[in-house]
Amino acid sequence: MYSISYSYVNCLQRNSLGNFKTFTSEIGITDAMLYYLDGVYNNGHNPNENYARELYELFTLGEGNNYTEEDIVETARALSGYVERGELGCEQVTFDPEKHDTDSKTILGQTGNWGYDDVINILFEQRPAEIAGFICKKLYEFFVHPDSNDNAGNAQVIISGMADTFIANDFEIAPVLSQLFKSQHFFDDEAIGVIIKSPYDFYFNILKESSFSYDDTVLASLINYSGLLSQRMFDPFDVAGWQRNRSWINTNFMIGRWLTIETIMEEFFNSDDEQFRAFGLSLVSVNEGNASNPDVIARAIIDFILPKGLLNDSEYNKAYVIFRSDVQEQYYEGGSTPSWSLQTSMEGPTQVYLLLQYLARQPEFQLK
């Protein structure tokens, strides 16, 4: 059983490209976070250390990175007093001074009668390099390569540069992402097609890339399928979140991916097969006669859908055969006036559909 509050989602959306210090400050006293990491049970008489520990370990510094167990205990005392009355994390948050520890605390070497805001200020003042390195490593591994250590050469240089930008811009996220996305490194072959799609990536990428029409029923199906493949939105199996990449791939999950994506494609086709024709045509230059060349069309679809295309010419040829379907060879011939064209052929939508079904089962389709 889980519930998501408006204030939590709103906090994520407002801060996703904003200031990370502000984000860290706001997220800790959302109703959902207070509920999820037991902040509602943290009071001066009986401190609960769950959120204090994760604030350092998961959210800002990284496990064991220049903080102590005593820092966690003292931080928990400083964070005490926030109350969320609901059982599902969707109630108004209030501060109860009777439940706040007003005694002196020592946090990251700083001693005083600290409260919530003081914790955030001390953390960012005393550990800027650790925060910047940890968060920029996460951003790099999410957007570029899942293992920055395996890609150690350029990765560490890029992450270090991002961290410098992060600190120089007072922990604004947007300049860091702008630097990363504009770098040549982001477009290197080694950074393309190396991340395994999560279930949400798997379903919603094809929805976005194809521009196929959908309604709330389709969206509900995609969300349900994602849950069946172990990714239920806002409900990771533990506080560390989904571990991504290879954790998404096993025998059961692969079969589930194949069967569900086939069902989704079939539903799109049955609702409006002409959108498959339109998708294929959108990827080729019709004026140059490419709409009459099945292999050109198939290649365009393959290279658009798969981040690195197929492995070799032999694999491309297999896909070309799928796209040509049962259309007889002579219809593709005829010199300057071939009798087949994706624009006019009755079989055109089916051919695009069959190719997409084929590609969805390829290993390359699992990557982004």
Side-chain angles (χ1 to χ4, degrees), residues 203 207 212-222 224-225 259-276 353 357:
Y203 299 119
L207 191 66
F212 291 158
S213 60
Y214 61 90
D215 56 20
D216 288 346
T217 300
V218 172
L219 293 180
S221 294
L222 302 187
N224 179 56
Y225 291 147
L259 294 177
T260 53
I261 199 67
E262 286 179 358
T263 299
I264 291 165
M265 291 289 189
E266 184 177 5
E267 290 175 354
F268 283 139
F269 186 77
N270 289 337
S271 67
D272 179 11
D273 62 347
E274 281 298 320
Q275 61 186 334
F276 284 77
Y353 166 67
Q357 289 280 38

Side-chain angles (χ1 to χ4, degrees), residues 51-352:
Y51 183 72
R53 182 176 303 280
E54 305 308 351
L55 173 64
Y56 296 145
E57 181 175 318
L58 287 178
F59 302 153
T60 58
L61 299 176
E63 186 174 0
N65 189 17
N66 206 5
Y67 64 90
T68 67
E69 285 294 314
E70 188 61 25
D71 287 324
I72 293 173
V73 173
E74 298 286 89
T75 297
R77 294 172 55 211
L79 299 179
S80 60
Y82 286 89
V83 179
E84 188 276 324
R85 296 292 186 184
E87 296 181 354
L88 296 176
C90 294
E91 297 293 330
Q92 181 70 35
V93 174
T94 59
F95 178 74
D96 184 351
E98 295 297 321
K99 294 187 176 181
H100 177 66
D101 188 325
T102 58
D103 292 338
S104 180
K105 307 108 179 162
T106 300
I107 300 171
L108 301 179
Q110 307 299 300
T111 301
N113 180 16
W114 307 130
Y116 186 91
D117 291 339
D118 299 311
V119 168
I120 304 302
N121 289 331
I122 291 169
L123 172 59
F124 279 79
E125 289 169 3
Q126 297 300 316
R127 300 293 186 268
E130 289 86 348
I131 294 170
F134 180 65
I135 296 303
C136 289
K137 183 173 184 285
K138 280 181 172 289
L139 291 173
Y140 180 93
E141 292 183 345
F142 185 86
F143 288 109
V144 181
H145 196 288
D147 191 341
S148 58
N149 294 321
D150 273 358
N151 199 20
N154 287 332
Q156 299 307 317
V157 174
I158 297 296
I159 292 169
S160 178
M162 292 166 61
D164 290 342
T165 298
F166 206 22
I167 295 172
N169 286 273
D170 295 323
F171 298 99
E172 291 290 330
I173 299 169
V176 176
L177 293 179
S178 178
Q179 177 177 323
L180 177 62
F181 297 155
K182 290 180 179 179
S183 70
Q184 182 60 45
H185 184 74
F186 184 71
F187 298 94
D188 287 347
D189 285 343
E190 291 78 7
I192 298 174
V194 295
I195 297 175
I196 296 173
K197 293 175 182 174
S198 70
Y200 269 83
D201 289 330
F202 186 70
Y203 299 119
F204 284 90
N205 275 20
I206 193 65
L207 191 66
K208 179 176 177 59
E209 292 169 350
S210 67
S211 296
F212 291 158
S213 60
Y214 61 90
D215 56 20
D216 288 346
T217 300
V218 172
L219 293 180
S221 294
L222 302 187
I223 292 170
N224 179 56
Y225 291 147
S226 296
L228 294 176
L229 295 179
S230 82
Q231 189 177 30
R232 192 177 183 188
M233 185 60 74
F234 298 114
D235 190 26
F237 56 88
D238 65 21
V239 69
W242 299 292
Q243 297 308 297
R244 306 176 63 233
N245 298 302
R246 291 181 178 86
S247 66
W248 298 129
I249 300 295
N250 60 41
T251 302
N252 290 333
F253 287 171
M254 282 306 303
I255 294 173
R257 285 180 179 231
W258 291 338
L259 294 177
T260 53
I261 199 67
E262 286 179 358
T263 299
I264 291 165
M265 291 289 189
E266 184 177 5
E267 290 175 354
F268 283 139
F269 186 77
N270 289 337
S271 67
D272 179 11
D273 62 347
E274 281 298 320
Q275 61 186 334
F276 284 77
R277 187 199 305 276
F279 171 67
L281 289 173
S282 72
L283 301 178
V284 297
S285 176
V286 175
N287 292 334
E288 295 178 5
N290 290 334
S292 299
N293 189 323
D295 294 350
V296 169
I297 296 170
R299 178 81 186 221
I301 294 173
I302 294 165
D303 291 345
F304 180 78
I305 290 294
L306 306 182
K308 281 192 170 181
L310 288 167
L311 183 62
N312 51 42
D313 289 343
S314 175
E315 294 301 316
Y316 272 100
N317 287 330
K318 292 178 184 177
Y320 295 161
V321 170
I322 296 295
F323 181 74
R324 286 173 173 256
S325 187
D326 294 329
V327 178
Q328 296 183 25
E329 189 66 28
Q330 63 262 28
Y331 291 109
Y332 296 122
E333 300 171 352
S336 61
T337 57
S339 57
W340 181 91
S341 170
L342 182 59
Q343 285 179 293
T344 58
S345 172
M346 291 182 60
E347 296 88 353
T350 300
Q351 291 176 259
V352 176

